[in-house]
Amino acid sequence: MLKEGRRESPFFHLESFAAMRSRSYWVFIVLLTLLAGLQYRLWVDDGSLAQVAQLKQQIAEQEGENEQLQERNRILEAEVLELKSGMETVEERARHELGMLKEGETLYQLAE
């Protein structure tokens, strides 16, 4: 075979095929390594599917706790407003928590 005035070796095509095969082998190795790295990140590394599921569970738990705390805050806020506005609540607390009496009242304590 002649190419531009030179004679080619009959093995030239085989050498070219071997070089191309070697090159595609390395491309395959690089792509396989890249795929393995991406799979590692998907299943194990930071931001993996397992970690995302765990974070969603923590968010759900925290939201439940937040709702309970908000309800407690609403109750305390209503109690504060009641204490500021009416004397009945203050009297009730003084009687129950401090054991206080009004003038002229007598305390009878019953033992069981």
Side-chain angles (χ1 to χ4, degrees):
M1 290 192 231
L2 289 173
K3 186 174 186 180
E4 297 178 9
R6 288 188 291 175
R7 184 177 175 121
E8 291 185 18
S9 164
F11 299 107
F12 176 74
H13 294 293
L14 293 177
E15 292 170 4
S16 173
F17 179 73
M20 188 170 78
R21 188 171 180 190
S22 174
R23 198 174 314 125
S24 65
Y25 172 78
W26 286 110
V27 168
F28 175 74
I29 295 296
V30 168
L31 290 175
L32 190 62
T33 304
L34 182 63
L35 179 65
L38 290 173
Q39 287 294 314
Y40 176 78
R41 289 197 59 188
L42 179 65
W43 298 107
V44 180
D45 205 15
D46 286 341
S48 67
L49 294 177
Q51 187 180 28
V52 168
Q54 180 184 15
L55 289 174
K56 284 182 180 179
Q57 176 66 29
Q58 288 177 352
I59 288 171
E61 290 172 2
Q62 188 65 50
E63 286 174 346
E65 185 179 337
N66 287 352
E67 287 177 16
Q68 290 175 349
L69 292 174
Q70 286 174 348
E71 180 62 28
R72 186 190 70 162
N73 286 348
R74 280 191 289 271
I75 292 169
L76 290 174
E77 186 178 349
E79 195 173 316
V80 166
L81 289 174
E82 192 176 322
L83 285 171
K84 285 181 178 180
S85 65
M87 291 305 290
E88 291 175 11
T89 308
V90 175
E91 279 185 31
E92 183 182 338
R93 283 205 165 215
R95 288 174 192 269
H96 289 286
E97 293 178 12
L98 303 174
M100 298 178 82
L101 301 174
K102 276 186 171 180
E103 229 177 272
E105 285 185 333
T106 306
L107 175 66
Y108 294 99
Q109 204 168 17
L110 303 174
E112 289 186 29

